[in-house]
Amino acid sequence: MKKKQFLALALSAVMAGGMLAGCGSSNGSTSSSKSDAKDEVVTLKWIQVGNGMPKDYDEWLEQINPYLEEKIGVNVDMEIVPWGDWDNRRSVITNSGEYFDILFTDQNRYSSEVNTGALMDITDLLKDNASELYDMIPEDYWKAVEVNEKIYGVPTYKDSSLSEYFVWDQDIADKYNIDVNSVTDFNTLYDALKTVKEGEGGSPYFMSKNGANFLLNLNYDDLSSGLPAIGVKYGDDTKTVVNPLDDEEILSNLDIVRKMYQEGIINGDAPTADDSSKYAMFFAAQGWSGAAKTTWGPNNGIANCSAVQYGNTVVSNTTVRGSINGIYSGCKHPDKALQLLNLVNTDSKVRDWFYYGAEGKDFEYTDDNKVHRLTTDWGMAGYTQGTFFNVTQTDDVDFNQWDEVEELNEKATPSEMLGFNLDTSNIETELANCRAVYEKYYSELFTGAQDPRELVKTIDAELETAGWETIREEAQKQIDAQK
C-alpha cells in the first residue's frame, strides 16, 4: 500500500497487493438476462491505474471472461497504467478522444472530465442497468458525484470517508513504555518520539513529501476544487470560505512538526521522499485500524503493528470522489458497461478476480470460504474497481476488516458542503495559478523543513497575486446562492 499520506486513493492502492475481505455471495446476480449474453458478446475496454499489466493477465482473462460472458454477455480488455505514467497517459486519453468504455477517475480529474465532455451522463441509465449497485451505494454518495444535478460516474463504495491513524511498531513503543492509545495529538506525539530517538537514534517519524497535509484534509472541505488552500471548515454552519493555511490550530501543529524536523525526529529528506513500503517504526496513514494487521505491518516490515486514530472521521465530496468509474461519452454499449460495474460490485467471485488476480496462481479459496494469497504482486489496484464490502476475507486474519470500514463510513461526520459542487468554469485560470503556488511550497510546509508561519506568509502573498480572492468570492457566491 502506498503509505504515509494520501487521500482515500493512495492507501487502498497498495492494498490491491496485500489485504482483503468481504461479505457477498460467490455466485452474485445482475439485473440483466443471461439469455441476452448468448446473442452478442461485447468487449469493454476498462482503463485503470495500478502497478502495470499483471504478469498473469492472460490466464486471468481465460478465467474471468467466460464467466462475464455467461452472466452479462461481455468480455473485458484491461489497461493497467503504471502510477508514474498515469498523468501523461490520462492527458492523452482525454485530450485525443481515444476510445474507451470505462475509465477510472478521481477528485482531481472528475469535474474537468465532465466539463470537457469526456464522460457520459448516466443518471437515467443507472436504475435500468445497475439497480443493485444504485441501491447499495448510499444516497449521499451519489449526491457527492453529481455535477449540475447529473451523475457522470459510479463512486466506489469503500473507505469513502477519511480517517487518519498514527501507526506504530508496537514492540518499540513497549520498549520505551509508550502508551500508544494516549498519543492522539502532536504534543504527546512529540514527547513519545523524542524518547524513541534518544534511545534508538535515527529519525523515528518517517514522512514522505506529503508530510502532515492530513491536517487540512481532516479539518476542511476543499470544495473539490483541487486547491487545499481554500475551503470551508467542518462544523461551520455559516459555510464561510477561508484559507485553511491561516488556521491557528493547524499552524500550532505545524510548529511542532517543524520542531520535530529540526531535531531530526523526522527524516531530513522528507520534502523529497516518496511514499515507500520499507521499515519505519512510526508513520501516519489514512485507513482503518485493522489495516495495521492486514497491510501496514506486513507491507512495512513491522511484525507487531498497531494503529491509533488521530482526529475525527469525515466524509465529503472529495473523500467520496477518491475513486470513481466513468463511462466514455461516446461509449457504444453504456448499458453493458453499467452491467459490468454492477456485477463487480455485487458478485464476490468477480470482485475477487479483480482484487486478487488469477485463481490458482495468485489466490485460492479455502475450505471455509476464505482466500489464501499465493502472491502479493497482482498489478490491479483494488480500490479502483468496486466496493470493498464484497471482497472475500483472507485466511491470515481472524476478523473482517471491511466491517470496520463500513462502520467508519456510517459514523463519519458529514461536511456541511456534502453534495455542493463548485462550478469552476469562471475561475479555471485562477485555480491553476493558485495550485501552482501551493504545489511549490506544500512539501516544505507540511514536513517542517521551513518555519510554517513565515512560509505561510509567503504562500498567502503569492496566492493573492495568483487570484485567490477571486476564487474565494466566486465560491462564496455559489454557496450563498444555495443556502
Side-chain angles (χ1 to χ4, degrees), residues 353-464:
W353 267 317
F354 275 95
Y355 206 103
Y356 293 118
E359 186 176 354
K361 292 283 289 186
D362 297 292
F363 77 98
E364 61 188 10
Y365 289 106
T366 64
D367 292 340
D368 57 349
N369 297 316
K370 293 183 180 180
V371 158
H372 177 68
R373 303 294 301 270
L374 301 174
T375 67
T376 57
D377 59 353
W378 179 244
M380 297 189 193
Y383 83 100
T384 65
Q385 304 147 7
T387 183
F388 283 167
F389 305 131
N390 69 337
V391 177
T392 300
Q393 181 180 337
T394 54
D395 64 349
D396 57 344
V397 291
D398 58 3
F399 63 94
N400 186 340
Q401 65 182 332
W402 306 128
D403 291 342
E404 180 188 359
V405 175
E406 194 162 20
E407 183 178 356
L408 286 169
N409 284 343
E410 291 171 354
K411 293 183 176 180
T413 300
S415 166
E416 284 73 13
M417 305 312 302
L418 187 65
F420 169 80
N421 289 283
L422 179 66
D423 180 358
T424 61
S425 56
N426 293 329
I427 49 175
E428 287 289 357
T429 299
E430 290 82 2
L431 278 171
N433 292 338
C434 287
R435 288 179 192 130
V437 172
Y438 177 81
E439 289 168 5
K440 180 166 62 172
Y441 293 111
Y442 84 94
S443 290
E444 294 194 342
L445 175 64
F446 289 109
T447 60
Q450 289 197 39
D451 180 284
R453 295 178 186 272
E454 292 303 314
L455 187 55
V456 164
K457 291 178 183 177
T458 300
I459 296 172
D460 283 352
E462 293 193 21
L463 286 173
E464 286 296 330

Side-chain angles (χ1 to χ4, degrees), residues 273-303:
D274 291 325
D275 293 319
S276 60
S277 294
K278 62 182 180 181
Y279 176 76
M281 70 80 48
F282 175 87
F283 56 89
Q286 179 203 328
W288 48 92
S289 65
K293 303 298 184 185
T294 62
T295 303
W296 291 324
N299 283 1
N300 296 284
I302 305 175

Side-chain angles (χ1 to χ4, degrees), residues 164-185:
E164 194 71 27
Y165 290 83
F166 289 161
V167 184
W168 295 87
D169 183 327
Q170 187 61 49
D171 291 339
I172 296 293
D174 290 343
K175 181 178 178 180
Y176 294 97
N177 297 314
I178 296 170
D179 177 9
V180 298
N181 291 310
S182 68
V183 181
T184 56
D185 58 40

Side-chain angles (χ1 to χ4, degrees), residues 8 28 71 119 158 164 226 230 262 279 287 298 305 310 331 339 358 360 373 397 422-423 452 478:
K71 286 286 185 177
L119 301 181
K158 54 181 192 66
E164 194 71 27
I230 198 161
Q262 288 178 310
Y279 176 76
C305 187
Y310 169 83
C331 179
Q339 287 168 25
R373 303 294 301 270
V397 291
L422 179 66
D423 180 358
Q478 292 182 32

Side-chain angles (χ1 to χ4, degrees), residues 45 107 130 169 173 189 245-246 263 294 296-297:
K45 183 175 183 180
Q107 74 280 359
D169 183 327
L189 179 63
L245 299 180
D246 298 329
E263 295 181 9
T294 62
W296 291 324

Side-chain angles (χ1 to χ4, degrees), residues 53-190:
M53 294 300 293
K55 65 179 186 302
D56 299 326
Y57 176 68
D58 290 340
E59 186 168 351
W60 179 81
L61 282 182
E62 291 174 0
Q63 293 181 11
I64 195 171
N65 272 343
Y67 189 88
L68 297 177
E69 186 172 326
E70 173 66 19
K71 286 286 185 177
I72 56 173
V74 306
N75 285 176
V76 292
D77 174 19
M78 305 299 297
E79 180 183 348
I80 310 301
V81 182
W83 298 102
D85 299 334
W86 184 236
D87 287 339
N88 290 337
R89 182 72 181 102
R90 286 300 301 283
S91 295
V92 171
I93 294 167
T94 55
N95 293 331
S96 68
E98 176 181 336
Y99 188 86
F100 62 87
D101 293 288
I102 306 173
L103 179 69
F104 169 76
T105 186
D106 59 21
Q107 74 280 359
N108 293 322
R109 305 172 179 90
Y110 178 62
S111 292
S112 63
E113 287 165 354
V114 170
N115 293 334
T116 58
L119 301 181
M120 178 180 291
D121 174 5
I122 58 173
T123 311
D124 296 330
L125 296 172
L126 272 167
K127 292 184 180 179
D128 289 336
N129 297 282
S131 59
E132 292 165 284
L133 172 61
Y134 185 81
D135 292 340
M136 180 187 76
I137 295 176
E139 183 179 355
D140 282 349
Y141 291 13
W142 289 113
K143 286 288 185 184
V145 297
E146 284 187 357
V147 177
N148 297 324
E149 300 184 345
K150 299 291 185 180
I151 298 170
Y152 293 85
V154 174
T156 303
Y157 187 31
K158 54 181 192 66
D159 54 329
S160 303
S161 56
L162 174 67
S163 305
E164 194 71 27
Y165 290 83
F166 289 161
V167 184
W168 295 87
D169 183 327
Q170 187 61 49
D171 291 339
I172 296 293
D174 290 343
K175 181 178 178 180
Y176 294 97
N177 297 314
I178 296 170
D179 177 9
V180 298
N181 291 310
S182 68
V183 181
T184 56
D185 58 40
F186 275 83
N187 282 305
T188 53
L189 179 63
Y190 169 78

